Amino acid sequence: MKMSKGQVGRRMLGLAVAGVALAAGGTAFAELGQPAPWEYKLQGAASPVMENITWFHNFLFVLITLITLFVLALLIIVVVKFNAKANPVPSRTTHNTLVEVAWTLIPVLILVGIAVPSFRLLFEELDVPKADLTIKATGKQWYWSYAYPDNGKFEFDSLLAQDKQPRLLGVDNEVVVPVNKVIRVQVTGADVIHSFAVPAFGIKIDAIPGRLNETWFKATTTGMFYGQCSELCGKDHAFMPIAVRVVSDQDFAAWVEEAKKKFASAATSTFASAAGAAQ
Ligand SMILES: [Cu+2]
């Protein structure tokens, strides 16, 4: 079958559209809160901070693309128009005030345009709003412990569960938090430096022995959200995932009651030692 030029063009366009749709579909079907195969974008946002991180990322991507194309265009013009064959007698121009002012001012304006949203984002991440709930995450070789000082002072360990999905992200005891509430996370390390990170919430903060770091998130939707230790901390660094289950207020209250009983027997080392020190 012979195709006209128009038909070939349309078929190529169709293929390209299908390819893009396939690539986009791959991520569209990905579950919120966990990585997807062949993912090249940021994970879907589930907190206001992550929404702003995503916006800033996209904004910078457009900016660097335009700048790169502009520089490429200038290079091509120079190569084509000003090579020795096309332009045997070079100009002896040394100064051009307008051009010099422009190539100083425009980059300055671009940098200011980047700095303003960048600093706004930094302050949003670092300024913890009034918290509805505080949880404490302690990085250990090689698992996380979580304490709930506001809700009955229980504490539990969260270890990788080999049989759970998603692979290498499922844990035995998940962190449970209520939806649409400001959660303050205090983070420390018990032995070496770890890092507490959950991509969908846009948080990543070092867990340092002897230091209490602080970050926050407000999950805007219920569901499971996964992260990993993000500071190389030893041989099982890859096997200490973070799993956060975001639930409704009622479900959270019910879980707290259950957790108080379930984790009561596990000696609450943090609170026990704190009480011991107070005596
Ligand atoms: Cu670690």
Side-chain angles (χ1 to χ4, degrees):
M1 187 183 79
K2 242 186 145 191
M3 285 193 287
S4 73
K5 247 188 185 164
Q7 276 174 315
V8 174
R10 251 170 282 146
R11 180 150 298 189
M12 297 276 276
L13 188 69
L15 274 177
V17 169
V20 171
L22 205 66
T27 350
F29 292 133
E31 263 183 78
L32 196 59
Q34 57 176 274
W38 295 99
E39 194 168 45
Y40 62 93
K41 300 193 293 188
L42 298 172
Q43 267 186 39
S47 81
V49 168
M50 190 57 197
E51 272 160 29
N52 289 339
I53 291 174
T54 309
W55 177 88
F56 190 54
H57 168 84
N58 293 341
F59 165 69
L60 287 184
F61 186 72
V62 170
L63 211 58
I64 58 168
T65 305
L66 292 177
I67 292 171
T68 309
L69 290 177
F70 177 64
V71 173
L72 180 69
L74 289 181
L75 275 174
I76 291 171
I77 290 170
V78 168
V79 168
V80 173
K81 267 187 86 177
F82 300 106
N83 66 61
K85 225 195 283 170
N87 187 44
V89 189
S91 144
R92 297 195 160 265
T93 310
T94 54
H95 287 293
N96 184 317
T97 311
L98 180 72
V99 172
E100 283 164 23
V101 169
W103 77 37
T104 308
L105 263 185
I106 294 171
V108 167
L109 290 176
I110 292 174
L111 288 180
V112 170
I114 292 174
V116 170
S118 171
F119 277 101
R120 198 185 297 147
L121 185 56
L122 269 179
F123 282 116
E124 191 191 6
E125 289 171 353
L126 294 175
D127 244 355
V128 183
K130 197 182 166 317
D132 296 307
L133 176 72
T134 300
I135 59 176
K136 184 181 172 195
T138 306
K140 297 175 180 170
Q141 284 176 319
W142 286 275
Y143 59 95
W144 292 91
S145 289
Y146 300 100
Y148 282 68
D150 297 343
N151 307 79
K153 300 191 191 322
F154 57 84
E155 183 178 3
F156 59 88
D157 295 335
S158 181
L159 279 84
L160 172 73
Q162 300 273 11
D163 51 334
K164 270 201 185 171
Q165 290 296 327
R167 185 176 161 267
L168 299 183
L169 292 175
V171 299
D172 55 356
N173 296 312
E174 294 139 2
V175 188
V176 179
V177 296
V179 70
N180 284 323
K181 290 279 156 63
V182 175
I183 315 292
R184 170 172 45 202
V185 192
Q186 296 184 325
V187 181
T188 190
D191 34 45
V192 298
I193 303 179
H194 302 267
S195 178
F196 187 84
V198 184
F201 299 150
I203 55 175
K204 175 179 282 178
I205 192 156
D206 276 357
I208 302 168
R211 185 189 159 89
L212 199 62
N213 274 345
E214 189 170 72
T215 185
W216 73 282
F217 66 90
K218 186 166 103 176
T220 47
T221 171
T222 57
M224 282 301 309
F225 300 89
Y226 297 96
Q228 288 175 301
C229 178
S230 298
E231 177 64 62
L232 191 50
C233 60
K235 80 172 177 60
D236 283 349
H237 165 63
F239 309 105
M240 49 180 296
I242 295 153
V244 183
R245 183 148 50 94
V246 179
V247 298
S248 67
D249 282 348
Q250 298 90 310
D251 288 353
F252 178 71
W255 175 82
V256 165
E257 287 315 308
E258 201 182 300
K260 269 189 212 164
K261 282 178 223 135
K262 186 176 170 191
F263 302 121
S265 53
T268 54
S269 55
T270 304
F271 299 113
S273 59
Q279 276 163 10

PDB file of all heavy atoms in Angstrom, residues 140 142 144 193-195 229 231 233 237 240, ligand 1:
ATOM      1  N   LYS A 140      17.441   4.053  63.395  1.00  0.00           N
ATOM      2  CA  LYS A 140      18.327   3.090  64.051  1.00  0.00           C
ATOM      3  C   LYS A 140      18.888   2.154  62.999  1.00  0.00           C
ATOM      4  O   LYS A 140      18.293   2.006  61.925  1.00  0.00           O
ATOM      5  CB  LYS A 140      17.539   2.292  65.102  1.00  0.00           C
ATOM      6  CG  LYS A 140      17.012   3.182  66.223  1.00  0.00           C
ATOM      7  CD  LYS A 140      16.125   2.427  67.191  1.00  0.00           C
ATOM      8  CE  LYS A 140      15.621   3.365  68.287  1.00  0.00           C
ATOM      9  NZ  LYS A 140      14.583   2.778  69.109  1.00  0.00           N
ATOM     10  N   TRP A 142      18.826  -1.213  61.695  1.00  0.00           N
ATOM     11  CA  TRP A 142      18.409  -0.526  60.498  1.00  0.00           C
ATOM     12  C   TRP A 142      16.897  -0.574  60.434  1.00  0.00           C
ATOM     13  O   TRP A 142      16.338  -1.411  59.759  1.00  0.00           O
ATOM     14  CB  TRP A 142      19.040  -1.175  59.260  1.00  0.00           C
ATOM     15  CG  TRP A 142      20.489  -0.839  59.136  1.00  0.00           C
ATOM     16  CD1 TRP A 142      21.009   0.285  58.549  1.00  0.00           C
ATOM     17  CD2 TRP A 142      21.619  -1.590  59.572  1.00  0.00           C
ATOM     18  NE1 TRP A 142      22.391   0.271  58.615  1.00  0.00           N
ATOM     19  CE2 TRP A 142      22.782  -0.870  59.249  1.00  0.00           C
ATOM     20  CE3 TRP A 142      21.770  -2.803  60.255  1.00  0.00           C
ATOM     21  CZ2 TRP A 142      24.066  -1.317  59.547  1.00  0.00           C
ATOM     22  CZ3 TRP A 142      23.057  -3.240  60.551  1.00  0.00           C
ATOM     23  CH2 TRP A 142      24.185  -2.492  60.185  1.00  0.00           C
ATOM     24  N   TRP A 144      13.204   2.085  61.818  1.00  0.00           N
ATOM     25  CA  TRP A 144      12.767   3.335  62.436  1.00  0.00           C
ATOM     26  C   TRP A 144      11.910   3.043  63.661  1.00  0.00           C
ATOM     27  O   TRP A 144      11.165   2.060  63.682  1.00  0.00           O
ATOM     28  CB  TRP A 144      11.943   4.170  61.442  1.00  0.00           C
ATOM     29  CG  TRP A 144      12.748   4.689  60.303  1.00  0.00           C
ATOM     30  CD1 TRP A 144      12.937   4.060  59.094  1.00  0.00           C
ATOM     31  CD2 TRP A 144      13.485   5.910  60.238  1.00  0.00           C
ATOM     32  NE1 TRP A 144      13.754   4.830  58.296  1.00  0.00           N
ATOM     33  CE2 TRP A 144      14.107   5.970  58.972  1.00  0.00           C
ATOM     34  CE3 TRP A 144      13.691   6.961  61.139  1.00  0.00           C
ATOM     35  CZ2 TRP A 144      14.909   7.036  58.577  1.00  0.00           C
ATOM     36  CZ3 TRP A 144      14.490   8.028  60.743  1.00  0.00           C
ATOM     37  CH2 TRP A 144      15.093   8.055  59.485  1.00  0.00           C
ATOM     38  N   ILE A 193      24.125   8.614  61.431  1.00  0.00           N
ATOM     39  CA  ILE A 193      23.222   9.540  60.742  1.00  0.00           C
ATOM     40  C   ILE A 193      22.347   8.780  59.746  1.00  0.00           C
ATOM     41  O   ILE A 193      22.836   8.032  58.905  1.00  0.00           O
ATOM     42  CB  ILE A 193      24.005  10.651  60.008  1.00  0.00           C
ATOM     43  CG1 ILE A 193      24.894  11.406  61.001  1.00  0.00           C
ATOM     44  CG2 ILE A 193      23.044  11.623  59.318  1.00  0.00           C
ATOM     45  CD1 ILE A 193      25.716  12.515  60.349  1.00  0.00           C
ATOM     46  N   HIS A 194      21.033   8.939  59.884  1.00  0.00           N
ATOM     47  CA  HIS A 194      20.063   8.439  58.915  1.00  0.00           C
ATOM     48  C   HIS A 194      19.367   9.661  58.324  1.00  0.00           C
ATOM     49  O   HIS A 194      19.698  10.795  58.671  1.00  0.00           O
ATOM     50  CB  HIS A 194      19.022   7.537  59.599  1.00  0.00           C
ATOM     51  CG  HIS A 194      19.613   6.355  60.305  1.00  0.00           C
ATOM     52  ND1 HIS A 194      19.766   5.133  59.718  1.00  0.00           N
ATOM     53  CD2 HIS A 194      20.092   6.224  61.568  1.00  0.00           C
ATOM     54  CE1 HIS A 194      20.320   4.289  60.588  1.00  0.00           C
ATOM     55  NE2 HIS A 194      20.522   4.932  61.717  1.00  0.00           N
ATOM     56  N   SER A 195      18.371   9.442  57.458  1.00  0.00           N
ATOM     57  CA  SER A 195      17.613  10.579  56.957  1.00  0.00           C
ATOM     58  C   SER A 195      16.179  10.165  56.700  1.00  0.00           C
ATOM     59  O   SER A 195      15.918   9.162  56.041  1.00  0.00           O
ATOM     60  CB  SER A 195      18.253  11.115  55.672  1.00  0.00           C
ATOM     61  OG  SER A 195      17.481  12.180  55.170  1.00  0.00           O
ATOM     62  N   CYS A 229      15.070   5.593  54.111  1.00  0.00           N
ATOM     63  CA  CYS A 229      16.203   6.272  54.727  1.00  0.00           C
ATOM     64  C   CYS A 229      17.041   6.847  53.585  1.00  0.00           C
ATOM     65  O   CYS A 229      17.294   6.176  52.600  1.00  0.00           O
ATOM     66  CB  CYS A 229      17.040   5.299  55.547  1.00  0.00           C
ATOM     67  SG  CYS A 229      18.484   6.083  56.275  1.00  0.00           S
ATOM     68  N   GLU A 231      20.120   8.580  53.908  1.00  0.00           N
ATOM     69  CA  GLU A 231      21.521   8.884  54.224  1.00  0.00           C
ATOM     70  C   GLU A 231      22.203   7.536  54.440  1.00  0.00           C
ATOM     71  O   GLU A 231      21.779   6.769  55.306  1.00  0.00           O
ATOM     72  CB  GLU A 231      21.609   9.750  55.486  1.00  0.00           C
ATOM     73  CG  GLU A 231      23.017  10.050  55.944  1.00  0.00           C
ATOM     74  CD  GLU A 231      23.787  10.875  54.941  1.00  0.00           C
ATOM     75  OE1 GLU A 231      23.377  12.010  54.652  1.00  0.00           O
ATOM     76  OE2 GLU A 231      24.808  10.373  54.430  1.00  0.00           O
ATOM     77  N   CYS A 233      23.756   4.639  55.746  1.00  0.00           N
ATOM     78  CA  CYS A 233      23.931   4.465  57.185  1.00  0.00           C
ATOM     79  C   CYS A 233      24.469   3.104  57.555  1.00  0.00           C
ATOM     80  O   CYS A 233      24.497   2.732  58.722  1.00  0.00           O
ATOM     81  CB  CYS A 233      22.597   4.709  57.882  1.00  0.00           C
ATOM     82  SG  CYS A 233      21.312   3.573  57.345  1.00  0.00           S
ATOM     83  N   HIS A 237      21.121  -0.138  54.891  1.00  0.00           N
ATOM     84  CA  HIS A 237      20.546   1.175  54.579  1.00  0.00           C
ATOM     85  C   HIS A 237      19.334   1.061  53.649  1.00  0.00           C
ATOM     86  O   HIS A 237      18.355   1.792  53.792  1.00  0.00           O
ATOM     87  CB  HIS A 237      21.637   2.035  53.933  1.00  0.00           C
ATOM     88  CG  HIS A 237      21.139   3.256  53.252  1.00  0.00           C
ATOM     89  ND1 HIS A 237      20.498   4.270  53.930  1.00  0.00           N
ATOM     90  CD2 HIS A 237      21.171   3.639  51.951  1.00  0.00           C
ATOM     91  CE1 HIS A 237      20.171   5.225  53.064  1.00  0.00           C
ATOM     92  NE2 HIS A 237      20.564   4.861  51.872  1.00  0.00           N
ATOM     93  N   MET A 240      15.387  -0.075  55.313  1.00  0.00           N
ATOM     94  CA  MET A 240      14.696   0.567  56.445  1.00  0.00           C
ATOM     95  C   MET A 240      13.705   1.599  55.915  1.00  0.00           C
ATOM     96  O   MET A 240      13.870   2.797  56.095  1.00  0.00           O
ATOM     97  CB  MET A 240      15.683   1.172  57.451  1.00  0.00           C
ATOM     98  CG  MET A 240      16.770   2.045  56.897  1.00  0.00           C
ATOM     99  SD  MET A 240      17.873   2.712  58.191  1.00  0.00           S
ATOM    100  CE  MET A 240      16.796   3.741  59.163  1.00  0.00           C
TER     101      MET A 240
HETATM  102 CU    CU B   1      19.559   4.732  57.613  1.00  0.00          CU
END
